[in-house]
Amino acid sequence: MSTTGAALTLGVSLKMYFGVEETLDWCREVAEIASRHEAVAGGAAEIFVLPSMPVIPQVNNLFAGTPVSVGAQNLFWEDRGAFTGEVSGAMLRELGCRYVEVGHAERRRLFGESNDIVALKVAAALRNSLLPVICVGEAQRGDLQQASASCITELEAALQYAASHQTLGSIVVAYEPQWAIGAPAPAPPEHIRHVCGALRQWVASRGSELPGSRVIYGGSAGHGLLSRLADSVNGLFLGRFVHDPNTFKAILD
């Protein structure tokens, strides 16, 4: 799918909000919604879900035979070795993951992930045939041109190692302004349109290096936002506002 394609991508990160049974119950309901919803069946929407690591195999089983893809919220940059507590992209792929989130602002703030670490993780994802969901976003709300330039610089840094090793491929760019993460409301539509437009233009300029790549918006995204954004984004990256599966259905509607 190109960045101007008709199909929209709806991704959901469950972060660490749910326990095991809560996660499985949520996934069962979403699997049922996705399996019978005309937007998904007709190819108008593509869905991926990123649960906590320990339940990935069970979530994969629940979504088997449905149009929903599964991924992880993190990975390590090496494929094998003495890295206690880490999970490799190779193992995630073996578990059936298709997506993996990289570079979220919380990972940067809480765990000190730098641009270099993010770039190593992006390269590991692509090396293991995973679609990296690369999070970018400015720290403070300000000038639209500066916000766009900051996000493009961040994206370029995230792709530096994959580019130098000629392992670029399809990616998902999740624009999440840090000042909107956890806020009562998302960034204003005109702000999202401007920054996502700049990101989509940059991705398109890389041509065959980033085939089928998409730019989606996260950061307190919820019901009603997609309609206000029209065709200025390729979809949404959802979080706490879809903990009720009925809200997820409403977004699909």
Side-chain angles (χ1 to χ4, degrees), residues 68-227:
V68 181
S69 297
V70 177
Q73 298 174 26
N74 188 31
L75 82 166
F76 193 62
W77 60 78
E78 296 286 354
D79 293 344
R80 189 179 294 271
F83 305 107
T84 302
E86 295 294 339
V87 178
S88 71
M91 180 175 283
L92 292 177
R93 187 66 185 175
E94 190 177 354
L95 287 173
C97 290
R98 186 180 171 210
Y99 291 81
V100 64
E101 185 176 3
V102 184
H104 191 278
E106 291 161 0
R107 298 290 313 177
R108 290 177 178 270
R109 184 180 74 253
L110 297 174
F111 304 104
E113 293 193 359
S114 64
N115 284 340
D116 280 349
I117 290 175
V118 170
L120 286 168
K121 290 186 173 189
V122 169
L126 291 167
R127 183 171 67 243
N128 287 287
S129 300
L130 296 167
L131 267 167
V133 181
I134 306 172
C135 300
V136 299
E138 73 279 13
Q140 304 293 330
R141 182 175 178 179
D143 178 78
L144 288 174
Q145 298 294 339
Q146 290 179 344
S148 299
S150 172
C151 290
I152 289 171
T153 298
E154 200 173 349
L155 182 57
E156 288 176 328
L159 295 171
Q160 60 179 312
Y161 294 130
S164 66
H165 290 85
Q166 298 183 330
T167 55
L168 288 171
S170 182
I171 64 172
V172 178
V173 182
Y175 172 51
E176 294 198 314
Q178 295 178 39
W179 47 271
I181 297 172
E190 61 273 15
H191 185 102
I192 298 170
R193 282 193 287 267
H194 189 282
V195 179
C196 285
L199 286 166
R200 292 174 79 185
Q201 188 173 24
W202 186 89
V203 168
S205 74
R206 302 299 293 263
S208 60
E209 289 184 307
L210 302 173
S213 295
R214 295 153 270 177
V215 177
I216 62 179
Y217 173 79
S220 300
H223 180 224
L225 179 60
L226 198 55
S227 298

Side-chain angles (χ1 to χ4, degrees), residues 11-26:
V12 183
S13 173
L14 296 177
K15 299 197 177 186
M16 205 181 74
Y17 281 110
F18 292 165
V20 173
E21 291 306 320
E22 289 174 297
T23 300
L24 300 180
D25 287 344
W26 185 91

